[in-house]
Amino acid sequence: MGNSIAKEAASDKVVIYTRTDAATRCDNAKELLESSGVAYKEVDVSGGKGAVNNLSKFTGSYILPQVFVCGNFIGGFADLAKLAESKALEKMVGECKLAE
């Protein structure tokens, strides 16, 4: 399962795993990306505990959202906000070269 998460996480410059069922931090993360002009791919893991458990085993974190930039796990909303504030997010996305 980790292999499929790694593949999916590297499928776009920014991939965000979210829950749509009352996950305010997930909404905040999407709003932050949108207001920063950063395109992202959203993967909704609201469907059950299995998807969240598999993701958590891969990243070591149970916090949602879980954000990947160029296939690298950067953390949750607080981590994303720090990167955006310092302009590091913009640099990371700009330098990202995805494998074909």
Side-chain angles (χ1 to χ4, degrees):
M1 182 46 103
N3 223 9
S4 64
I5 292 172
K7 185 176 180 179
E8 185 171 52
S11 68
D12 212 328
K13 288 186 176 187
V14 178
V15 177
I16 180 171
Y17 290 83
T18 65
R19 290 182 69 133
T20 56
D21 52 350
T24 303
R25 289 182 311 253
C26 295
D27 292 337
N28 292 344
K30 292 185 291 186
E31 289 172 10
L32 188 151
L33 289 168
E34 290 165 8
S35 69
S36 298
V38 176
Y40 63 90
K41 174 182 177 181
E42 181 178 10
V43 180
D44 185 356
V45 293
S46 298
K49 288 188 175 183
V52 175
N53 286 338
N54 289 330
L55 181 60
S56 297
K57 286 178 188 175
F58 182 74
T59 63
S61 175
Y62 280 90
I63 295 171
L64 287 173
Q66 293 195 19
V67 183
F68 290 79
V69 176
C70 208
N72 298 306
F73 178 57
I74 63 159
F77 172 68
D79 303 296
L80 178 65
K82 287 177 189 174
L83 286 174
E85 185 177 326
S86 70
K87 304 296 183 198
L89 176 64
E90 183 178 308
K91 182 178 179 185
M92 291 171 70
V93 171
E95 293 176 350
C96 179
K97 304 291 186 240
L98 296 173
E100 297 294 324

